[in-house]
Amino acid sequence: MNEGIVIKGSKDGINIVIDFNKFRDFDQMATLLRLKLRKGSSFYKNSVVKITTQLKDLQEIFSEELQSILFNEYGIKECIFEDMIEEKVNEKFIGIYEGKTKFIKNTIRSGQLIEYSGNIVIIGDANKDSEVKAGGNVIVLGILRGDVYAGVNGNNQAIIAASKLMPRILGIDTVITRSPEESENRYDFQYPEIARLKDGIIIVEPYLVNKYYF
């Protein structure tokens, strides 16, 4: 019987399918998820998990709670959210608010490449000589020192944001720029910064909560 959550293992990690239509609220779903994960809690540690669900029903606050369960309670290192609606093959990732997102809870090491067709959110730093490529947006909740590319499949609305934005190379869509050397040593950040395309060039601005950029 389909209780609303199906967990399967694969060579790439763990697949969790959540059907929100089977639950009256998020708490009921979270209770069942914990029960299912508890049966093999040691198996999930440091694993990669893909969650397939109705993204339109997964509000931001619930997305954060779900990540907290997986990261903090079960030690999962990567979490990918994908829509239950099957996507067309090679479909371009358009816009800045789509929900197909890979969450990574660790620092990206020098020499490491992270690549994904949707958004990438890194809960940690991206070290110098690392490389991050996303079809959507790149968000780093830490220091971004590596090479970073957003909107790589032709999304000129994509953004790159970080608590400390110090990349060597910054690319959005087909526009690529190299940061001045002095920016790699800056630590006088008062706000997170956000990079986006404007009139065909990449601009970087402080991210202010009360300012609407788009």
Side-chain angles (χ1 to χ4, degrees):
M1 184 176 73
N2 184 357
E3 300 171 307
I5 298 177
V6 177
I7 301 177
K8 297 179 180 179
S10 73
K11 61 182 179 63
D12 298 318
I14 311 298
N15 296 329
I16 302 178
V17 179
I18 302 174
D19 185 354
F20 272 95
N21 293 325
K22 300 284 186 178
F23 303 99
R24 66 174 180 271
D25 54 31
F26 179 86
D27 289 341
Q28 185 187 32
M29 183 282 297
T31 298
L32 179 59
L33 179 62
R34 284 187 171 98
L35 286 173
K36 286 181 171 287
L37 291 175
R38 198 169 295 150
K39 296 176 183 178
S41 56
S42 60
F43 176 72
Y44 302 120
K45 190 173 183 180
N46 293 321
S47 64
V48 176
V49 169
K50 181 174 76 172
I51 296 178
T52 305
T53 189
Q54 299 102 330
L55 292 176
K56 64 181 179 60
D57 295 327
L58 187 63
Q59 300 175 32
E60 182 177 356
I61 187 171
F62 295 152
S63 172
E64 292 172 356
E65 288 186 35
L66 191 50
Q67 292 169 57
S68 178
I69 292 171
L70 296 172
F71 288 146
N72 300 328
E73 297 181 26
Y74 297 94
I76 286 162
K77 70 173 183 179
E78 283 188 30
C79 181
I80 302 168
F81 285 88
E82 293 193 347
D83 205 306
M84 191 173 283
I85 300 172
E86 186 176 353
E87 296 182 279
K88 297 177 182 178
V89 177
N90 296 326
E91 185 175 14
K92 185 186 295 184
F93 190 92
I94 299 296
I96 58 174
Y97 296 117
E98 297 188 44
K100 183 178 178 185
T101 302
K102 172 184 280 194
F103 292 87
I104 302 172
K105 192 185 180 185
N106 58 268
T107 290
I108 309 304
R109 303 182 306 275
S110 295
Q112 188 174 1
L113 169 64
I114 301 296
E115 197 167 7
Y116 188 58
S117 59
N119 303 311
I120 295 176
V121 177
I122 298 169
I123 305 172
D125 299 333
N127 285 342
K128 189 175 181 179
D129 297 323
S130 66
E131 192 171 7
V132 179
K133 295 182 177 180
N137 312 303
V138 177
I139 310 295
V140 179
L141 303 181
I143 304 173
L144 198 171
R145 290 194 181 94
D147 300 346
V148 57
Y149 305 87
V152 295
N153 296 321
N155 181 1
N156 60 15
Q157 298 179 59
I159 63 167
I160 297 169
S163 300
K164 294 185 177 181
L165 191 60
M166 304 163 62
R168 183 183 65 165
I169 295 175
L170 194 66
I172 299 177
D173 192 10
T174 59
V175 181
I176 298 175
T177 186
R178 186 182 181 94
S179 297
E181 290 186 9
E182 59 268 21
S183 70
E184 297 183 11
N185 299 309
R186 286 194 303 134
Y187 281 91
D188 56 338
F189 294 83
Q190 294 183 346
Y191 303 99
E193 291 183 307
I194 183 168
R196 62 188 178 93
L197 278 179
K198 183 177 182 181
D199 299 327
I201 63 172
I202 295 176
I203 64 170
V204 176
E205 299 174 311
Y207 175 70
L208 304 176
V209 174
N210 294 327
K211 182 173 180 179
Y212 184 71
Y213 289 93
F214 312 108

